[in-house]
Amino acid sequence: MAGLDEKLLGIYDEVLHRNPGEIEFHQAVHEVLMSLGPVVAKHPEYADSAVIRRLCEPERQIIFRVPWVDDNGAVQINRGFRVEFNSALGPYKGGLRFHPSVYLGIIKFLGYEQIFKNALTGMPIGGGKGGSDFDPKGRSDGEIMRFCQAFMTELYRHLGEYTDVPAGDIGVGGREIGYLFGQYKRITNRYESGVLTGKGLTWGGSQVRTEATGYGTVFFVEEILRTRHDSFDGKRVVVSGSGNVAVYAIEKVQQLGGTVVACSDSGGYIVDEKGIDLDLLKDVKEVRRARISEYVEARGDAATYVAGRSVWNVPCDVALPCATQNELNGSDATTLIRNGCAIVAEGANMPCTPEAVQFFTDAGVTFAPGKAANAGGVATSALEMQQNASRDSWTFEHTEQRLADIMRGIHDRCLETAEEYGSPGNYVAGANIAGFTQVADAMLALGVI
Ligand code: NAP
């Protein structure tokens, strides 16, 4: 593979051979290895001690059957996953995804990214990820509950506040975390708050956790803008998705004076030139759990709906992909560049294809990778764990300030590390190297385990 240092090329070949067909995992590993050339040149001990090879092999992978009964009395079978990737810095931490596209390769890519993201937060959390190929769309509340209970009936034996602490991701929000926690509590007979994050505010959850990933992504962009003495004021912003991350990214952009003119779901996108009506969007997506096209039905002529096309056709100054992996390709990047987009920050995990990232870099568009830009979610999960451990609960203002400080810290660390390793201004190199060296140093200290 072009561009990889010789030692790293051997590691990448091994990853390809040991994990056939897991293309998203290959992509995530390749992206990190591409940044590590200057690191192994300066610190050969990382390659010599096989730390990089060990990092590419999960500590544990759990795959299990999830049998449950639907509303018609029929037995349904799904497959559950939990990949406990690396615990050098703390208990495995990372969300659960319920989506029909889920298979081992998706969970491994997410778990691998999570290791470096969690390290970047500076908090004591390792990396993991899980989920199921269960499709929650169109399922009744009772079906969602029975599925979550069946899923936890197997998963609980692998969890614990000092072992593995899941949270939400695509298809897993507050409702699902409630059902999962309820079943964990029932099976174990323990009110172990710190075993899951993203809990409800009245039963152990943290203020700002719901908002944290979207808010954090926008705080990260605010820091980028600050380095050039600019702000969100008057900026035109496009966000993809309309789920948890997207909705709260939109909210924070609006609070900071920007205008979000478009967002999407997997069916299409809406354009609202005066700015998205957030109350209406929340009603459609969070209360009614409906398709985004219903936003336009309620908003009338002020907005338009475009089915089946890319939201990246809408001109903007700042683009925030907040939906899913590989949703923004080279052609979308070309369109964004042509339309004058100056900053792209990933609210989702790996939403930009490698080709898109290359195009942004070549065109001088500032690109903030998800590992750094969307780390606010897991950082606030770690704040939730802190509150649970001390039987405390903090105010919204205090928690949001902690989140803003953490995002500023991640931003600055990425820039400093990129500079130190000869790639000034390159957030991808900065995030990968800063995250990697922190985990690698801990692994070296802990011996061959
Ligand atoms: P979510 O609430 O389930 O929302 C996902 C959104 O993305 C929905 O609008 C969904 O549209 C859209 N989407 C999903 N698959 C798509 C596809 N194939 N094409 C186009 N749109 C698609 O999930 P979320 O929690 O916001 O997560 C979004 C992204 O952020 C994911 O990459 C996730 O890994 C990442 N992330 C989440 C967190 C967190 O705290 N939640 C933290 C860090 C990173 P439909 O409804 O039509 O499917």
Side-chain angles (χ1 to χ4, degrees), residues 97 137 169-171 209 213 242-245 266 291 323 348-349:
R97 175 177 294 191
K137 278 205 191 79
D169 190 80
I170 289 178
R209 177 60 191 90
T213 309
S242 48
N244 172 263
V245 180
S266 56
R291 309 307 301 159
N349 286 311

Side-chain angles (χ1 to χ4, degrees), residues 120-449:
L120 276 175
T121 67
M123 304 173 95
I125 40 179
K129 200 83 186 187
S132 173
D133 57 2
F134 171 69
D135 187 357
K137 278 205 191 79
R139 290 293 178 188
S140 71
D141 208 49
E143 289 178 317
I144 299 284
M145 182 181 75
R146 290 195 295 282
F147 176 79
C148 289
Q149 290 176 339
F151 185 83
M152 186 54 89
T153 299
E154 171 58 32
L155 188 65
Y156 88 96
R157 67 190 83 243
H158 307 289
L159 306 183
E161 62 179 318
Y162 298 109
T163 308
D164 187 351
V165 183
D169 190 80
I170 289 178
V172 178
R175 174 181 59 168
E176 291 74 18
I177 293 292
Y179 295 146
L180 291 163
F181 184 70
Q183 183 72 348
Y184 183 86
K185 185 176 80 62
R186 177 162 74 169
I187 295 173
T188 60
N189 194 31
R190 283 165 61 87
Y191 205 106
E192 191 183 337
S193 300
V195 75
L196 282 170
T197 58
K199 299 182 293 296
L201 294 178
T202 54
W203 43 277
S206 172
Q207 296 283 356
V208 194
R209 177 60 191 90
T210 305
E211 296 85 353
T213 309
Y215 277 22
T217 302
V218 175
F219 286 145
F220 196 93
V221 176
E222 200 186 17
E223 292 304 319
I224 295 173
L225 289 164
R226 211 191 299 276
T227 62
R228 48 189 79 161
H229 310 291
D230 200 353
S231 75
F232 265 105
D233 208 20
K235 293 280 181 302
R236 213 180 130 89
V237 181
V238 169
V239 173
S240 65
S242 48
N244 172 263
V245 180
V247 163
Y248 292 97
I250 295 171
E251 183 164 283
K252 187 49 73 180
V253 169
Q254 290 183 346
Q255 288 173 7
L256 295 177
T259 305
V260 180
V261 292
C263 66
S264 63
D265 64 14
S266 56
Y269 66 89
I270 56 166
V271 183
D272 194 331
E273 285 291 338
K274 290 208 178 80
I276 301 286
D277 177 338
L278 196 60
D279 289 340
L280 176 57
L281 183 69
K282 284 183 179 175
D283 181 55
V284 170
K285 299 306 292 187
E286 293 181 348
V287 181
R288 286 192 254 162
R289 297 181 188 272
R291 309 307 301 159
I292 206 170
S293 49
E294 287 195 19
Y295 174 96
V296 174
E297 285 159 29
R299 186 94 158 120
D301 289 345
T304 50
Y305 174 67
V306 182
R309 302 260 319 275
S310 168
V311 71
W312 308 118
N313 291 323
V314 181
C316 60
D317 303 308
V318 176
L320 304 178
C322 296
T324 194
Q325 66 277 350
N326 293 327
E327 51 150 313
L328 194 165
N329 61 24
S331 151
D332 296 320
T334 305
T335 307
L336 282 165
I337 294 163
R338 194 176 50 235
N339 288 336
C341 177
I343 298 174
V344 178
E346 295 185 321
N349 286 311
M350 211 169 73
C352 299
T353 65
E355 186 184 45
V357 177
Q358 191 60 54
F359 288 178
F360 290 139
T361 309
D362 293 347
V365 172
T366 302
F367 175 75
K371 266 185 212 86
N374 72 37
V378 74
T380 309
S381 277
L383 298 180
E384 183 173 329
M385 292 162 74
Q386 275 186 36
Q387 291 168 77
N388 294 151
S390 58
R391 303 275 192 271
D392 198 359
S393 71
W394 306 340
T395 63
F396 192 95
E397 291 70 26
H398 175 73
T399 317
E400 188 180 19
Q401 189 56 53
R402 290 286 306 264
L403 170 63
D405 293 344
I406 291 166
M407 295 314 295
R408 182 174 312 121
I410 296 172
H411 171 272
D412 293 353
R413 209 166 144 210
C414 289
L415 274 193
E416 285 155 17
T417 309
E419 177 96 31
E420 183 188 338
Y421 282 88
S423 304
N426 185 332
Y427 288 95
V428 173
N432 284 339
I433 296 172
F436 167 77
T437 50
Q438 181 155 347
V439 183
D441 288 343
M443 289 176 71
L444 285 177
L446 299 183
V448 179
I449 54 170

